[in-house]
Amino acid sequence: MDKNTFTGLFLIMAIIAGSIYFLKPSEADLKKEREVQHQDSLKKAGAAATAAAKNTAKFDTSKTAPVDSALLKMPFGAASVGKEDFVTIENKELLIKLSTKGGKVSSVELKNYKTFSKQPLVLFSGDNNQFGLKFAAGVANINTNNYYFTPSAKALTVAEKDSGSVTMRLSYSPTQYIDYVYSLKGDGFKLGLTIKPTGLDAVIANSSTYNLNWAASLHKQEKDMKQERQYANVYYYNTDGDVEYLSETKDDQKSINDKKMAWVAFKQHFFSNVLIAKNSIAKTDISVATDVNDTTDVRQMKADLSLTRAADGSVPLEFYFGPNRFNTLKDQGHDLDKLVNLGWGPLKYINRFAVLPVFNFLNKFNWNYGLIILVLTVLLKLVLSPLTYKSYLSMAKMRVLKPEMDEIKTKVGEDNPTLLQQEYLKLYKKAGVNPLGGCLPLVIQMPIVIAFFKFFPSLFELRGESFLWMHDLSTYDSVIKFAPVAFLGGVNHVSLMCLLMTISTLIYTYFNNQISGATGQMKYIGYITPLVFLFTLNSYPAGLNYYYFLANMFTFLQQYLIKFMVDDKKIHAQIQENKKKPEDTKKKKSGFSAKMEEMMRQQQQVQANKNKKS
């Protein structure tokens, strides 16, 4: 390297060294720079964390609560945490989902039925459905509804002639557990459930019963929520063979300790959920409530039951999830057919042993149900025709006597009604006429008329069946719709069949007054009842109003035919002959007539005493 080159390199290095020395930052400047860089790194880390959180919220919606180590040490502690999963079991009729949380029936769908709006018919589902054993284990109070079970299979489909089962296990230890064994046949509406505890005698307090909490909110299935709530209730059947139920119109609850129950049912209008205890229920606490603002669920039902254990400690149970069709319920045994409310007292027997057998016989012909109701009405009118004839004849006699009754009224005057009625009774006695002859046949027919009032609303067969303009005979036909009218109970429609029934009843009342010769207030009272029925039956099943309409039409026809058989001139002649007969040859006075005459005499005496005092 020559001298000039060396000198150049030395100068460059000297310049660089000088620059480093003179441009070197102070300690204060270095500290300030480090603080700036630290703040920048914190901002970048925060932004990254925020992005990660957003990413997690977008793709991972599961939330896992921190596990309490103390909880795990409690009885059944390991089963207190988990993830809810579902096991589907099904046959020809039922699609059932079992939940691993609680090991319970989470939802039930009836595969061959639809709601009024043509949606899948699910009896119940969701968090309001509970089913759990309640017992003490050590210092802990256990409700199995809140614990996680392990299923023996993920799904089960049972063919028509087969049967199968799925076990849901709640583990205390590998050798100590509670099994819910669900069994299902390929056909039918029943689901078997056997509760089997194993190795838990030292864990669970020894008792002859298990306390079970069962609750469900039943989903709306039909057109009219108000009507469906009217028929939805908790029914219970004791081992004495009696069926009872809670209030139909308000929230209600009841405790039953004096009788053992065979089954408890959460009943809707046309479908039921029944829990049958094969070893009876020792104690029962039941309740029903209605959330009037709820447009999805009909009523909320609860039952706390003390289930009797078998000798081996198990509890054999059975569910019925199905329609309230009388014959279907009867086939299940356990008197489940008593879930169909056919009325009280004599009405129940008329419907069960007279109307229902005739209906079932006609149903075998596979006719449209509108035609079946028509034939049923004709048969009923034929059976009651002797009473109708007797009623018409009695009213005709009263009509013939009316001129003579008017003469008596003119003679006695209306100022003394007691004396007037007494003179009327004397006339009836001489003429051989019973003034109640026209009413008694109608009174005898009244239980049958009322029996149909209970029969048609409870008739499952009418559900979804159409006739003429009526799309569903089990509910009202709304030909006119309008905004709800508060003072009419929220009515928002007019039923055409109810309107026709009302018009026919008014016409019937008019002609009936012509036959009986009714005058004064009695002439107009008959018009009030049909108008009341117009508002009362407007939301009732079209099938019921159709029957009443047909009954009126056939009554017109009967009276028209009877009119040719009854001659007023012959009746008048017969009455005059009766008047000529001596008193001792006439029929013995009835007890009722004697009491009426005695009452009239007493009233006349009271009136006479008042006149003397005045």
Side-chain angles (χ1 to χ4, degrees):
M1 180 182 298
D2 60 15
K3 184 178 180 180
N4 291 331
T5 301
F6 177 81
T7 302
L9 288 173
F10 177 78
L11 289 172
I12 292 172
M13 292 180 65
I15 292 171
I16 293 173
S19 299
I20 292 174
Y21 177 80
F22 289 109
L23 297 176
K24 176 182 177 181
S26 65
E27 186 63 29
D29 291 336
L30 290 174
K31 184 178 180 180
K32 186 176 180 180
E33 181 63 24
R34 284 195 296 267
E35 288 180 356
V36 171
Q37 291 178 359
H38 178 65
Q39 292 297 327
D40 289 343
S41 66
L42 287 178
K43 290 180 180 179
K44 291 178 180 179
T50 302
K54 289 181 178 178
N55 243 9
T56 301
K58 182 176 181 181
F59 297 104
D60 183 11
T61 57
S62 62
K63 294 182 179 179
T64 305
V67 178
D68 187 350
S69 58
L71 184 63
L72 295 177
K73 295 177 182 179
M74 299 290 286
F76 297 97
S80 63
V81 294
K83 181 181 179 182
E84 185 175 22
D85 202 358
F86 297 96
V87 176
T88 301
I89 60 176
E90 61 179 309
N91 65 1
K92 182 181 178 182
E93 303 286 351
L94 303 172
L95 177 61
I96 300 170
K97 287 186 178 181
L98 306 177
S99 171
T100 57
K101 186 177 181 181
K104 64 195 175 191
V105 177
S106 177
S107 68
V108 176
E109 178 185 341
L110 299 185
K111 296 165 66 173
N112 297 320
Y113 297 96
K114 299 292 182 182
T115 66
F116 181 82
S117 56
K118 307 304 179 185
Q119 299 299 312
L121 198 150
V122 179
L123 297 177
F124 59 85
S125 63
D127 295 336
N128 289 330
N129 167 40
Q130 298 180 13
F131 187 88
L133 295 177
K134 299 168 69 176
F135 54 84
V139 296
N141 292 320
I142 305 297
N143 184 340
T144 61
N145 185 75
N146 303 321
Y147 289 76
Y148 292 89
F149 287 60
T150 302
S152 62
K154 293 183 178 181
L156 173 67
T157 301
V158 187
E160 189 169 345
K161 295 182 179 180
D162 296 333
S163 61
S165 64
V166 170
T167 299
M168 307 290 284
R169 175 167 294 182
L170 175 62
S171 296
Y172 180 82
S173 75
T175 59
Q176 297 169 293
Y177 47 82
I178 298 175
D179 281 346
Y180 287 179
V181 182
Y182 292 97
S183 56
L184 188 66
K185 294 182 179 180
D187 194 7
F189 299 98
K190 281 186 175 180
L191 173 69
L193 168 60
T194 301
I195 301 175
K196 293 182 177 180
T198 300
L200 294 173
D201 292 341
V203 178
I204 301 176
N206 187 24
S207 175
S208 61
T209 61
Y210 267 136
N211 294 323
L212 174 69
N213 171 249
W214 182 33
S217 287
L218 306 184
H219 297 331
K220 181 178 182 292
Q221 315 292 352
E222 312 305 329
K223 179 180 181 179
D224 185 8
M225 174 69 90
K226 184 178 180 180
Q227 184 186 52
E228 194 170 2
R229 281 176 171 158
Q230 180 181 343
Y231 291 96
N233 209 338
V234 178
Y235 278 61
Y236 50 100
Y237 175 72
N238 63 42
T239 50
D240 293 336
D242 300 324
V243 173
E244 297 182 46
Y245 48 88
L246 299 181
S247 173
E248 296 177 323
T249 57
K250 61 182 180 180
D251 295 353
D252 194 14
Q253 60 182 6
K254 189 173 185 179
S255 295
I256 305 159
N257 302 316
D258 57 337
K259 292 184 179 181
K260 292 184 177 181
M261 297 295 126
W263 51 256
V264 173
F266 293 168
K267 177 181 178 291
Q268 289 185 252
H269 191 173
F270 290 120
F271 301 94
S272 282
N273 312 274
V274 187
L275 180 62
I276 304 165
K278 296 183 179 180
N279 288 339
S280 77
I281 303 169
K283 181 182 177 182
T284 308
D285 293 316
I286 49 179
S287 64
V288 62
T290 305
D291 182 356
V292 295
N293 297 317
D294 194 337
T295 59
T296 302
D297 290 343
V298 179
R299 298 187 91 180
Q300 294 75 44
M301 304 181 184
K302 295 181 180 179
D304 287 316
L305 313 171
S306 294
L307 303 174
T308 305
R309 299 170 66 179
D312 62 354
S314 65
V315 180
L317 304 170
E318 198 170 40
F319 286 105
Y320 171 80
F321 301 118
N324 294 332
R325 183 190 292 110
F326 185 88
N327 292 334
T328 301
L329 291 169
K330 190 174 182 180
D331 292 341
Q332 310 305 313
H334 306 285
D335 286 339
L336 290 189
D337 53 279
K338 292 184 177 181
L339 277 169
V340 181
N341 190 347
L342 295 175
W344 48 269
L347 307 183
K348 176 171 62 178
Y349 298 106
I350 291 172
N351 281 326
R352 179 157 188 169
F353 300 110
V355 180
L356 190 61
V358 175
F359 179 86
N360 288 336
F361 172 76
L362 296 175
N363 201 19
K364 293 179 181 179
F365 294 99
N366 293 321
W367 294 338
N368 180 280
Y369 283 100
L371 181 59
I372 289 177
I373 295 173
L374 172 62
V375 176
L376 185 65
T377 308
V378 172
L379 293 176
L380 178 65
K381 284 299 178 181
L382 288 175
V383 170
L384 297 177
S385 56
L387 292 175
T388 305
Y389 174 79
K390 189 174 181 179
S391 176
Y392 185 96
L393 183 61
S394 181
M395 288 189 292
K397 290 179 180 179
M398 293 296 294
R399 183 177 66 251
V400 170
L401 276 179
K402 189 175 182 304
E404 296 183 46
M405 294 173 66
D406 291 341
E407 290 180 8
I408 293 174
K409 180 186 278 189
T410 302
K411 182 178 178 181
V412 175
E414 298 184 21
D415 296 336
N416 194 339
T418 303
L419 179 60
L420 181 62
Q421 290 298 326
Q422 195 171 20
E423 292 299 320
Y424 281 165
L425 287 175
K426 290 180 182 179
L427 176 62
Y428 299 150
K429 182 180 177 182
K430 289 180 181 179
V433 175
N434 182 359
L436 299 179
C439 299
L440 287 176
L442 296 177
V443 171
I444 295 172
Q445 294 181 55
M446 191 58 65
I448 299 175
V449 174
I450 300 175
F452 276 91
F453 183 79
K454 297 295 293 185
F455 179 74
F456 283 108
S458 300
L459 196 59
F460 179 87
E461 284 81 353
L462 296 184
R463 185 180 187 271
E465 296 294 333
S466 62
F467 181 66
L468 299 177
W469 67 87
M470 297 168 283
H471 299 298
D472 189 340
L473 290 170
S474 70
T475 188
Y476 60 83
D477 57 309
S478 50
V479 65
I480 301 175
K481 293 184 179 180
F482 44 82
V485 181
F487 71 90
L488 293 179
V491 173
N492 63 350
H493 67 276
V494 173
S495 166
L496 177 57
M497 185 50 72
C498 183
L499 190 61
L500 292 175
M501 182 275 298
T502 302
I503 293 172
S504 66
T505 307
L506 290 171
I507 296 174
Y508 168 75
T509 302
Y510 172 78
F511 283 106
N512 201 49
N513 286 340
Q514 301 301 312
I515 295 170
S516 64
T519 57
Q521 292 182 349
M522 292 301 298
K523 183 176 181 180
Y524 299 103
I525 288 176
Y527 294 108
I528 298 176
T529 303
L531 296 177
V532 172
F533 280 169
L534 174 62
F535 297 103
T536 304
L537 299 180
N538 186 55
S539 294
Y540 271 74
L544 176 65
N545 286 313
Y546 173 55
Y547 159 73
Y548 285 144
F549 171 76
L550 290 175
N552 287 337
M553 292 297 100
F554 282 107
T555 301
F556 294 155
L557 179 60
Q558 283 181 320
Q559 290 184 349
Y560 179 76
L561 296 175
I562 292 172
K563 186 176 180 180
F564 291 101
M565 303 166 59
V566 176
D567 188 340
D568 285 5
K569 292 181 180 179
K570 290 183 179 180
I571 292 175
H572 185 268
Q574 183 62 51
I575 288 175
Q576 299 309 316
E577 287 294 323
N578 290 340
K579 287 182 180 180
K580 296 177 183 179
K581 292 179 182 179
E583 289 292 329
D584 56 354
T585 63
K586 293 181 181 180
K587 291 182 180 180
K588 186 179 179 181
K589 187 169 23 180
S590 68
F592 178 79
S593 298
K595 289 180 180 179
M596 285 290 291
E597 288 188 14
E598 179 62 26
M599 185 177 68
M600 293 296 179
R601 279 195 292 268
Q602 290 177 359
Q603 289 182 350
Q604 188 175 13
Q605 184 64 39
V606 170
Q607 186 65 36
N609 292 336
K610 286 183 178 180
N611 292 336
K612 288 180 180 179
K613 291 180 180 180
S614 59

